[in-house]
Amino acid sequence: MASGISIESSSESAERKDRIRVRSMTFVPSTAEPSTLDSANTPTAGAVPSEDHTDLGPETSRFVRDRLSFKETRQLMGCFVFIIKEIDKDILLRWWRSCIERERHSHLWKENEPRSMSSTLTHLLAFFDALRTSLQVFQYGGKASVMAQASRSAMMKAQLEQAYIPKSANRPASVSLSSALRTRKSSSNLGPLIETSRNTESRIKLSANMGTEITLVVLDLLELFIANFRENLEENTGDNALMKRVFSIIITLLEVNQSQLALTHIFASLRSFIHKFSPALFQGGQEYCAELCYQILMKCNSCVRHIRSDACVSFYLLMRCSFEFVEGSFLRVHLQSIVALSQIIADGHLAAGQDFLRRSINSIESFTALDRSTSSQFPVEVKDLTGRLRNVLHATSEMKKHEDDPEVFLELRYILAKSYSSAAQLRQTWLHSMAVLHQQNGNFSEAAHCYIHMAGIVAGYLKFKGSHKNGVADFHRIAPNVIKEESAMKEDWIDPTINVYSEDDYIDLLEESLLWLEKAERYEVMVELFKLLQPYYDQRRQYESLASSFNMLSAACAKVVEVKKTKRRLLGTYFRVAFFGELFGNDNGIHYIYKEPKVTRLADISLRLMELYGRKFGSENVSIIQESNTVDPVDLDFEKAYIQVTYVTPYFSESELEARITDFERNNDMRRFVFEAPFTKGGKNRGDVREQWIHKTILTTANTFPYVKKRITIVEEENFDLTPIEVAIEQLSSKLAELTEAINRSPPDKTNLQRVLQGVVSVTVNAGPLAYGKAFLREPELSESPENHIKMLRAVFSDLLEQCGLALELNARIIESDQLLYHEDLMQKYDILARELSELLDPNVRSTEAYVLPLAGEDD
């Protein structure tokens, strides 16, 4: 880690990041690519079973790969399915029952021994594995696959015939045979084409019918087993080897390529399964529900209407059974549906389009109008879920359009995260994806705050579970946005049957936050985070972690001291960015505050935005508005895109400035910004100090900076004008603040001190303080200006002269001999300023002579 700050090794950091990444997604579907082929007429590339056995299940593929070819496997599995189809079902039932009873008796005889799987049960599980393998090797690959296999077979046959043609025909006895073989050879050149054209249709029908027949046989056996051994499958709320094998077959039936006829029966069987095993789906482990949601939503995106209809009915039934089982909520189905859809998108299954899935979502929502047997709350829950599914699809499609716009791309992910402010797992999933993008883009402050928000989510969850005292309240000094956004977790959105997060997760996220805060140079926030971490290290007796954390804390505090002295830490530059024009879509008329890295010039961000939107809309259609004045959209060409960029600075009230002493405090936790525009009543921007007005605009954002994103919407705008005397008071107060800071800096910065002094005592720089005094402390302005403003102006002048004297004394102590003449020049200018102002200031407030210092070389 930079600057010598380190809390863990690189391997520990990698392990922690893996844990955070895994927890951000509830499940990961099978590595085997789910097929999108739904009928014989719609083959999909990549869905054809290959001969490398990558399509086979993990239990059987190793044996098959090592011992049998793909063709041999098909033949063996074909014989196996034929036998179990024709065998008397009573024989199968007796064998199944004997396997299960022997397993039970073996455990009764060995109660005091660790429970292990008997060989009889192993045989039964292998039987189900064989069924699963049969489904995989006989899945229909489409016309293209069948034709390719037929062509390969014909070509291989021709090559074998060619290989057996004699090389010499000198022997008379072989003449007739050689002639015959040559005749076969010449005719075999057209053999593959003739064979392919003759048998293609029959091969296609045979392959499709074979796949359907295998599926129906397996489905019949599955129904037979479930009907007779339901109690065994329900043991331990479905967490048993038999249920896992049966469920894996159901998932395989949905994964492999199927005909419409087969899928009709599969979905009918699936709906029966959902009715029978609600406890396993909605009370046991969440893996069953997660897999079903994934596979059903995949079928909801089928191009075949009949298949989509069956999938929609099955998904609706899944929601309704969950609602009835849990008595008023289908939280698990809701959560796993969103995660499944997100995973489907991440896997690229919606690359071809989302229209079919959108139609299915509409159909699912419409079912509630026809279903009169449910409570009034169920349609509300369904509408909420379908609305959120549409939000995910909409945000995904929008993300595709804005991949090259980092702010908009992250904004869309933020919208998804915000839509799940009450659901911990889903919100954390999207926050983690935002953190990864920020890391890639070098936005370290934003990445750190993503992890801080994730830690706040876990803290709130642990508080609900009773293992954390304060929850998100612990983050009030670290990130106020966490209090605002991560307190929305609802009890209804927490699945009581599982523990999603632990203290280890909380610690991991806090440690990850520290790493990115250090890279962002926000050392003061690190100190606050250490206060949350160290009690856990102490309770667990993790003295090594305590030692590392104290070393890191020491290094962070040393960095704070260093940057306070050098003033070389730059925490960001801010701009008001406004968009005008229909080309911007939803951003039209919206104003943002953009946070840019360190020192970014107005020209730099203007050029970046111009190039970005020039690529989108065409450079001839994009214009930058240089002025900061209010823009009337009526005066613009609605067919073009306009971007107004204005430099802004953080704004604080007087009371806030008193509380925020350090530079860091004035560059952290900010949500108000200000920019100003000079003007005169005559219409010019600049004029005499008596005519110079300033229009100020104070902007308030929806959240404080830094945040989980780089731009925040402006929610409030306040405008007011400063009169010329108020402008004078503000300018002089600003000079006074600069001078006081230069005097108090330790060690003194000679260059900065002389720069500020020159700006105050010289009458030619920015009109100088003397010009303000002559303009407003003489008649007629003196009597025309408000009395309180006159008092304030005189008080500022008095303080400014006093600080100038202190600054000149300091300068005399720190300069070298080669700057004596320069110092004398400053003293003379100060003397002129003090004498000129002495007649303007109230003699009862200050003694004019007190401001006149002796020149260099004079006696005191």
Side-chain angles (χ1 to χ4, degrees), residues 121-134:
L121 186 60
T122 303
H123 293 160
L124 180 55
L125 298 180
F127 173 84
F128 287 118
D129 291 339
L131 291 179
R132 185 165 177 247
T133 302
S134 301

Side-chain angles (χ1 to χ4, degrees), residues 310-531:
D310 272 332
C312 291
V313 171
S314 300
F315 190 80
Y316 183 83
L317 179 66
L318 188 68
M319 292 189 294
R320 179 173 170 178
C321 287
S322 176
F323 186 86
E324 293 172 350
F325 182 81
V326 185
E327 298 181 354
S329 171
F330 55 90
L331 173 62
R332 178 174 292 189
V333 175
H334 188 133
L335 294 176
Q336 297 307 326
S337 299
I338 301 299
V339 174
L341 180 57
S342 302
Q343 191 65 40
I344 288 171
I345 293 169
D347 293 342
H349 294 303
L350 298 185
Q354 305 174 352
D355 291 342
F356 295 128
L357 187 53
R358 289 182 184 275
R359 294 180 196 175
S360 296
I361 292 173
N362 294 336
S363 298
I364 292 169
E365 185 175 335
S366 68
F367 290 160
T368 58
L370 305 174
D371 188 359
R372 302 296 183 183
S373 60
T374 59
S375 69
S376 58
Q377 182 61 25
F378 181 67
V380 177
E381 297 282 344
V382 172
K383 188 174 182 180
D384 180 53
L385 173 57
T386 54
R388 293 179 187 274
L389 290 173
R390 290 191 192 95
N391 287 341
V392 174
L393 291 176
H394 173 72
T396 302
S397 61
E398 290 296 311
M399 286 179 200
K400 193 70 177 176
K401 300 176 184 176
H402 301 286
E403 286 179 332
D404 58 342
D405 189 339
E407 284 82 16
V408 177
F409 191 68
L410 278 161
E411 186 89 24
L412 293 168
R413 290 178 178 265
Y414 167 79
I415 291 172
L416 287 174
K418 189 175 181 180
S419 67
Y420 282 97
S421 56
S422 56
Q425 292 170 273
L426 296 175
R427 179 166 174 81
Q428 192 182 42
T429 296
W430 291 107
L431 283 173
H432 182 261
S433 69
M434 292 176 66
V436 173
L437 287 172
H438 281 308
Q439 294 165 24
Q440 295 171 353
N441 296 332
N443 305 323
F444 301 139
S445 292
E446 288 70 27
H449 277 260
C450 285
Y451 286 112
I452 290 173
H453 277 251
M454 292 166 67
I457 291 172
V458 177
Y461 177 87
L462 295 177
K463 181 182 179 182
F464 172 80
K465 290 289 187 177
S467 57
H468 195 283
K469 182 179 179 180
N470 300 321
V472 296
D474 281 344
F475 292 83
H476 72 284
R477 290 176 57 87
I478 298 170
N481 292 318
V482 174
I483 309 295
K484 178 181 178 181
E485 295 193 348
E486 309 310 338
S487 301
M489 187 185 303
K490 296 180 181 178
E491 182 178 344
D492 296 341
W493 282 85
I494 298 178
D495 193 337
T497 61
I498 57 173
N499 289 321
V500 180
Y501 302 115
S502 65
E503 283 187 356
D504 289 333
D505 304 328
Y506 183 58
I507 293 171
D508 287 343
L509 289 167
L510 290 178
E511 290 176 347
E512 189 71 16
S513 303
L514 284 171
L515 298 179
W516 295 103
L517 284 171
E518 191 275 335
K519 291 184 178 181
E521 299 183 281
R522 295 186 179 269
Y523 309 112
E524 291 85 345
V525 183
M526 295 173 65
V527 175
E528 297 297 328
L529 272 183
F530 276 120
K531 296 177 183 178

Side-chain angles (χ1 to χ4, degrees), residues 19 26 66 110 116 134 148 151 259 274 365 431 456 507 532 567 610 645 670 682-683 711 724 746 790 822 834:
R19 292 197 298 271
T26 307
D66 294 343
K110 302 177 181 180
S116 59
S134 301
S151 177
S259 65
I274 293 171
E365 185 175 335
L431 283 173
I507 293 171
L532 302 183
K567 302 288 183 181
M610 184 71 182
V645 185
M670 309 165 296
R711 74 173 190 178
S746 179
I790 296 297
Y822 175 72

